[in-house]
Amino acid sequence: MAILPLFKVAILAIRQAAKPMANVLIARSIKYDRVKRTCAGAAQIMHRMEIRMKLFGTSIRVKEIAPLAEEEAIKQGATLISEGVVFGIGISLLVLETRRAKWSEGIKNEKLEKSFVNLDERLDGIEKSMHDVDHDVSVLASSSASFLPLKAERLQRMQQGQT
């Protein structure tokens, strides 16, 4: 029983630490040009999609969308990747919790099944004992039925001898 709260506390701790860990990871990674380009590219794509979505319902038509400044793009891209990491960790923990719950439920079902099998075996034993008792009662009843007339006859003789 103690493993359940510890498991849930561990999941909570990982989820709480995921955001700062992702921020540190991105802050260290931005030193590299490839990561900067990836962050900036992701932010530029997100920026274009956001502008198109905002303008979709209006009558304004734009041929070209101005890109974000490089520093702003890197910052937004890093935030996007950071949120993606946190989201990925959250999904992973959700899947892990679901699997643990199914495993726990499977164990409970196995115990319940064993209990049902045990009860079935006990019921079969009781039914066999009842059958044996019924058989013994019928044997005794048939054997005592042949003695009843003799006993009644003897009782009559004894009563006649006393009178």
Side-chain angles (χ1 to χ4, degrees):
M1 293 302 277
I3 200 163
L4 178 67
L6 291 177
F7 184 76
K8 294 207 180 251
V9 167
I11 285 178
L12 182 62
I14 291 169
R15 289 180 70 189
Q16 291 296 322
K19 179 80 171 166
M21 285 189 314
N23 290 337
V24 167
L25 179 68
I26 292 300
R28 287 187 181 172
S29 299
I30 287 194
K31 295 176 184 173
Y32 302 102
D33 286 337
R34 184 178 178 137
V35 175
K36 282 183 182 180
R37 286 193 310 264
T38 303
C39 289
Q44 294 294 355
I45 291 170
M46 188 176 74
H47 172 67
R48 283 187 209 106
M49 287 175 43
E50 180 182 2
I51 297 297
R52 284 189 181 119
M53 286 173 45
K54 285 180 180 178
L55 297 176
F56 181 73
T58 66
S59 61
I60 301 171
R61 299 292 175 232
V62 179
K63 289 185 177 184
E64 190 175 319
I65 297 172
L68 290 171
E70 187 178 346
E71 284 298 315
E72 184 65 24
I74 292 171
K75 185 178 176 185
Q76 284 187 13
T79 302
L80 178 67
I81 292 172
S82 172
E83 292 297 326
V85 169
V86 171
F87 183 73
I89 289 172
I91 292 294
S92 300
L93 292 174
L94 183 64
V95 167
L96 182 66
E97 173 65 19
T98 303
R99 285 187 177 180
R100 189 204 59 79
K102 284 183 180 180
W103 175 75
S104 178
E105 186 177 320
I107 289 175
K108 287 179 185 177
N109 287 343
E110 286 178 14
K111 286 181 181 179
L112 194 59
E113 184 67 30
K114 285 180 183 177
S115 177
F116 282 144
V117 167
N118 186 18
L119 287 174
D120 281 344
E121 289 172 355
R122 289 176 61 192
L123 184 60
D124 289 343
I126 290 171
E127 286 175 347
K128 186 183 179 311
S129 296
M130 292 282 292
H131 182 269
D132 292 346
V133 167
D134 284 346
H135 177 68
D136 291 347
V137 166
S138 66
V139 166
L140 284 174
S142 66
S143 65
S144 67
S146 61
F147 289 119
L148 284 177
L150 294 176
K151 193 172 185 181
E153 191 178 301
R154 186 189 289 173
L155 191 59
Q156 273 182 346
R157 275 192 251 147
M158 285 175 62
Q159 286 176 349
Q160 286 174 356
Q162 289 178 358
T163 54

